[in-house]
Amino acid sequence: MKKRFTEEQIIGFLREADAGLPVKELCRRHGFSEASYYLWKSKFGGMSVSEAKRLRELETENARLKKLLAEAMLENEVTREALRKKW
């Protein structure tokens, strides 16, 4: 899924709001909804750009590891089934 804004842009938006720009004005100026703003605030609030990049790297690594675990568990289950059928 293509995201419209990068983490760096989102953190910039949050900093603009922290500097005193009203949320409605910020949303209108940059073209996103207030719901998106509050979702981003809950996820990225108080983060720096480097922390957001690290979060993205960890999420990617976590997804890769979950996939590897699922594949290993499936392979183990297939092996068990094959052994049960032999006996």
Side-chain angles (χ1 to χ4, degrees):
M1 179 172 94
K2 172 102 171 76
K3 295 184 181 180
R4 232 174 110 188
F5 300 106
T6 64
E7 284 87 357
E8 293 84 5
Q9 290 173 316
I10 292 169
I11 291 171
F13 300 153
L14 295 175
R15 287 189 181 154
E16 284 183 53
D18 291 342
L21 186 65
V23 174
K24 285 189 179 200
E25 173 65 23
L26 178 71
C27 295
R28 186 188 60 76
R29 185 182 295 174
H30 296 289
F32 56 85
S33 69
E34 286 186 52
S36 294
Y37 169 79
Y38 289 110
L39 180 71
W40 294 337
K41 186 175 180 180
S42 68
K43 185 173 181 179
F44 298 108
M47 277 190 185
S48 67
V49 174
S50 62
E51 290 170 336
K53 285 182 181 179
R54 180 70 180 139
L55 175 64
R56 183 177 6 141
E57 289 171 1
L58 290 173
E59 287 173 343
T60 303
E61 182 181 5
N62 192 28
R64 184 182 65 81
L65 291 173
K66 283 182 179 182
K67 182 179 176 185
L68 287 173
L69 177 63
E71 289 172 354
M73 290 176 71
L74 179 62
E75 188 177 317
N76 286 344
E77 186 61 31
V78 168
T79 304
R80 279 192 215 114
E81 279 296 317
L83 289 175
R84 274 190 223 130
K85 288 180 181 177
K86 280 186 175 181
W87 302 107

Short mmCIF file of all heavy atoms in Angstrom, two decimals, residues 1 3 27 45 53-54 73 82:
data_model
loop_
_atom_site.label_atom_id
_atom_site.label_comp_id
_atom_site.label_asym_id
_atom_site.label_seq_id
_atom_site.Cartn_x
_atom_site.Cartn_y
_atom_site.Cartn_z
N MET A 1 0.84 -1.18 0.00
CA MET A 1 0.00 0.00 0.00
C MET A 1 0.89 1.25 0.00
O MET A 1 1.80 1.37 0.80
CB MET A 1 -0.88 -0.02 1.25
CG MET A 1 -1.79 1.18 1.35
SD MET A 1 -2.97 1.03 2.69
CE MET A 1 -2.09 1.89 3.97
N LYS A 3 1.75 4.93 0.78
CA LYS A 3 1.35 5.95 1.75
C LYS A 3 1.58 7.32 1.14
O LYS A 3 2.54 7.53 0.41
CB LYS A 3 2.16 5.79 3.04
CG LYS A 3 1.85 4.50 3.74
CD LYS A 3 2.59 4.41 5.04
CE LYS A 3 2.27 3.09 5.71
NZ LYS A 3 2.97 2.96 6.95
N CYS A 27 -4.62 20.57 8.91
CA CYS A 27 -5.20 19.53 8.06
C CYS A 27 -5.62 20.11 6.71
O CYS A 27 -5.39 19.49 5.67
CB CYS A 27 -6.41 18.90 8.75
SG CYS A 27 -5.99 17.99 10.25
N GLY A 45 3.63 10.69 18.10
CA GLY A 45 3.74 11.82 19.00
C GLY A 45 4.98 11.76 19.88
O GLY A 45 5.25 10.75 20.53
N LYS A 53 12.23 6.20 11.94
CA LYS A 53 12.90 5.31 10.99
C LYS A 53 13.21 3.98 11.66
O LYS A 53 13.04 2.91 11.06
CB LYS A 53 14.18 5.95 10.46
CG LYS A 53 13.93 7.04 9.45
CD LYS A 53 15.23 7.61 8.93
CE LYS A 53 14.97 8.72 7.93
NZ LYS A 53 16.20 9.32 7.42
N ARG A 54 13.67 4.02 12.88
CA ARG A 54 13.99 2.80 13.62
C ARG A 54 12.72 1.98 13.86
O ARG A 54 12.74 0.75 13.74
CB ARG A 54 14.65 3.15 14.96
CG ARG A 54 15.03 1.96 15.78
CD ARG A 54 16.19 1.19 15.17
NE ARG A 54 16.48 0.06 16.02
CZ ARG A 54 16.77 -1.15 15.57
NH1 ARG A 54 16.87 -1.37 14.29
NH2 ARG A 54 17.00 -2.14 16.40
N MET A 73 6.49 -23.43 11.16
CA MET A 73 5.42 -24.18 11.83
C MET A 73 4.64 -25.01 10.81
O MET A 73 4.27 -26.16 11.10
CB MET A 73 4.50 -23.23 12.58
CG MET A 73 5.15 -22.60 13.80
SD MET A 73 4.11 -21.39 14.63
CE MET A 73 2.87 -22.46 15.35
N ALA A 82 3.00 -36.41 7.60
CA ALA A 82 3.62 -37.44 6.79
C ALA A 82 4.07 -38.61 7.65
O ALA A 82 3.91 -39.78 7.27
CB ALA A 82 4.79 -36.86 6.01
#
